[in-house]
Amino acid sequence: MSLPTQLFIDGAWRNSASGRRTTLINPATEEPFGEVAAADGADVNAAVESAQRVWESGWRDLAPGKREAILHAVARKLREHIEEIAKLETLHIGKPISDARDEASLGARVFEYYAGAVTKFCGQTIPVGRGGFDFTLRQPMGVVAANLANSPTLRDCRPACYRCCPVRVRPSATRSSPIRSFARCPSPAPPGLAAASWNWHRAT
Amino acid sequence: MELASRDLKRISLELGGKSPNIVFADADWQRAAETSPMSVFANTGQDCCARSRVFVERSVCEPFVEKFVAATKMLLVGDPTKPETQLGPLVSAAQRGTVEEFLADARQRGSKFACGGGRPRAKGYYLEPTVLLDVRKDDRCWREEIFGPVVCITPFDDEAQMIRDVNASPYGLSGSLWTNDLRRALRVAKAVESGVLSVNSHSSVHAEAPFGGFKQSGIGRDLGMAAMDGYTELKNVYVAE
């Protein structure tokens, strides 16, 4: 198990613009176990700009069936890496390993749920008074930021992915690596699409 | 929120809680007592859904507390990398410091420590799971989210008064309700101000169902189809005939 220590922005690993790093402490031993890049506003802007580019260049208009396939592939990757993600979670926040495994598999389960939701979440047709044809659309909001201070790993990202919203994730100061670790999984999506639409960094 | 308001950024918040665990005498209160410790102490109490205020109908309160405390003392606190461990450390020295301030306040206010209150290990940010009795309704430990392994247990006599006490909180995230009386379960489930409630169970997070809070516990819903609202705009298109 190795510790991912850089920021994942625009589909690639990099150091923070400022070069600053912060030390991670294992709460069960009080010992430092690594140093990771500390992001600031410049890194956030880079991540948001990257997400916006990806959104406009195709993620937004990806066919529902393709989105569904990608989300299922993400869930499969997550399941393959549950042990690694759980161990990093335990190391960072002291969560007992059996709970950390449950949480990581809930993570995969939620991706599966939203993969299935892609072709079931729909609008309405409305018989408006003046006649004609009236219908509603659910359109993606665009780039979404998720602050995961207290949320189970990655839970908040999934509805966003479902709707093609690129995601900018800010893990809390104490639990960045499990999320980075997930970003490190080989991307199941078409290169340059999903990979670039996930921007992971750590703000302080 | 203030920052987001300047250009009307949409936000969805899942925040804190001071969730109730309500146990009626007609329920399988023994099972409730055995399972309730982990409904507040899981992740060492660092859980937004932690059932940190337990309301027990007075006729069974004493034996309930006895069983609850016995089950708490059985919890395995220790090395989180071991599969049998149930409670690890708190996340940081700062968080343990915050929880210990709450415990100091409880001592000063004369609450009774049925168990816990100390540091079980010299190394690591550990804290024993702590059961408080005789906590007053205006004490910090009763009113505020502690985000640590601390629970308050109180008896109740009257259902209507108990519900007023449950709802006299700025929070409204989660909760559990133990009863075998169907009408009572429906009545109380409706009356409790919370986004999530479980009856004869402590399970409150399901991938397929909405999760979120009333009042100061948040805005919007995560999970289930309801989460989609937070990520989409609703557009209406009209086509003339």
Side-chain angles (χ1 to χ4, degrees):
Chain A
M1 179 180 65
S2 66
L3 186 73
T5 59
Q6 290 179 298
L7 311 177
F8 187 74
I9 295 175
D10 208 22
W13 295 96
R14 57 163 90 168
N15 293 320
S16 58
S18 69
R20 281 198 309 123
R21 299 175 80 75
T22 50
T23 303
L24 300 172
I25 307 277
N26 179 348
T29 62
E30 304 185 30
E31 303 290 338
F33 63 89
E35 270 201 340
V36 294
D40 63 18
D43 303 299
V44 173
N45 287 343
V48 171
E49 283 160 17
S50 152
Q52 182 68 24
R53 274 196 306 277
V54 170
W55 189 53
E56 289 173 7
S57 68
W59 196 223
R60 177 178 54 190
D61 303 314
L62 199 64
K66 288 187 175 160
R67 289 208 299 273
E68 183 178 354
I70 287 172
L71 293 185
H72 273 304
V74 171
R76 277 195 302 277
K77 282 287 167 200
L78 254 179
R79 290 208 185 277
E80 283 169 27
H81 291 260
I82 276 175
E83 196 58 26
E84 180 189 353
I85 290 168
K87 279 182 174 160
L88 285 169
E89 187 85 347
T90 295
L91 183 65
H92 279 70
I93 65 165
K95 183 188 278 277
I97 186 69
S98 36
D99 293 350
R101 285 185 193 122
D102 288 349
E103 184 176 291
S105 58
L106 172 66
R109 168 70 195 132
V110 179
F111 266 104
E112 287 156 5
Y113 173 79
Y114 287 110
V118 170
T119 48
K120 283 122 199 133
F121 182 66
C122 44
Q124 291 176 296
T125 56
I126 303 170
V128 293
R130 63 178 300 147
F133 187 71
D134 190 285
F135 63 98
T136 61
L137 293 171
R138 308 301 298 247
Q139 294 194 302
M141 213 162 258
V143 178
V144 170
N147 182 337
L148 301 184
N150 301 317
S151 285
T153 314
L154 296 173
R155 195 174 78 195
D156 296 336
C157 313
R158 286 155 291 225
C161 298
Y162 149 78
R163 275 318 302 179
C164 322
C165 299
V167 182
R168 196 276 292 172
V169 179
R170 194 211 83 119
S172 78
T174 44
R175 61 187 305 186
S176 59
S177 294
I179 290 172
R180 279 177 225 260
S181 167
F182 173 63
R184 200 167 52 177
C185 304
S187 169
L193 191 62
S197 78
W198 297 75
N199 291 288
W200 319 86
H201 67 91
R202 172 199 176 98
T204 48
Chain B
M1 246 176 119
E2 207 176 306
L3 276 172
S5 71
R6 292 181 193 168
D7 51 0
L8 285 183
K9 284 260 184 307
R10 275 69 165 154
I11 54 168
S12 167
L13 302 169
E14 195 265 279
L15 303 171
K18 192 74 188 176
S19 297
N21 180 6
I22 303 162
V23 183
F24 283 95
D26 74 71
D28 183 351
W29 59 266
Q30 291 93 337
R31 194 162 77 83
E34 283 156 13
T35 57
S36 289
M38 279 308 277
S39 78
V40 57
F41 298 136
N43 208 31
T44 318
Q46 301 161 115
D47 176 356
C48 329
C49 288
R51 273 67 163 176
S52 52
R53 293 182 300 158
V54 186
F55 298 79
V56 188
E57 197 162 8
R58 190 176 300 274
S59 61
V60 295
C61 192
E62 211 179 295
F64 177 93
V65 168
E66 204 174 295
K67 257 193 187 310
F68 188 109
V69 169
T72 299
K73 287 179 175 167
M74 294 287 287
L75 295 176
L76 294 171
V77 181
D79 181 352
T81 63
K82 292 197 169 144
E84 66 274 17
T85 296
Q86 291 169 286
L87 267 71
L90 286 155
V91 71
S92 64
Q95 185 57 26
R96 184 170 63 179
T98 303
V99 179
E100 286 180 331
E101 276 173 31
F102 276 101
L103 296 180
D105 189 72
R107 282 191 190 93
Q108 205 194 338
R109 301 279 291 170
S111 295
K112 185 180 165 204
F113 284 62
C115 65
R119 298 182 175 186
R121 292 177 154 219
K123 211 64 170 146
Y125 310 126
Y126 288 91
L127 207 52
E128 288 169 335
T130 304
V131 179
L132 298 179
L133 308 174
D134 304 331
V135 183
R136 282 176 277 183
K137 303 283 189 286
D138 57 347
D139 288 356
R140 285 190 66 204
C141 283
W142 181 264
R143 290 183 292 113
E144 298 177 30
E145 181 180 47
I146 298 174
F147 224 62
V150 183
V151 69
C152 306
I153 307 181
T154 189
F156 72 87
D157 297 294
D158 173 63
E159 182 185 304
Q161 181 58 45
M162 178 272 294
I163 287 169
R164 278 194 291 276
D165 290 337
V166 163
N167 290 338
S169 165
Y171 294 115
L173 186 57
S174 186
S176 299
L177 163 60
W178 294 79
T179 178
N180 284 326
D181 179 332
L182 181 60
R183 290 171 66 199
R184 172 181 276 155
L186 295 173
R187 187 171 65 234
V188 177
K190 203 168 151 188
V192 171
E193 293 167 357
S194 68
V196 182
L197 192 79
S198 35
V199 180
N200 297 329
S201 159
H202 296 300
S203 174
S204 49
V205 180
H206 310 274
E208 305 80 4
F211 175 75
F214 281 24
K215 303 191 279 188
Q216 288 180 37
S217 288
I219 298 177
R221 291 294 179 270
D222 188 16
L223 301 174
M225 284 294 185
M228 299 302 189
D229 293 341
Y231 298 94
T232 52
E233 292 281 15
L234 183 59
K235 177 181 282 183
N236 189 71
V237 180
Y238 174 72
V239 184
E241 236 163 358

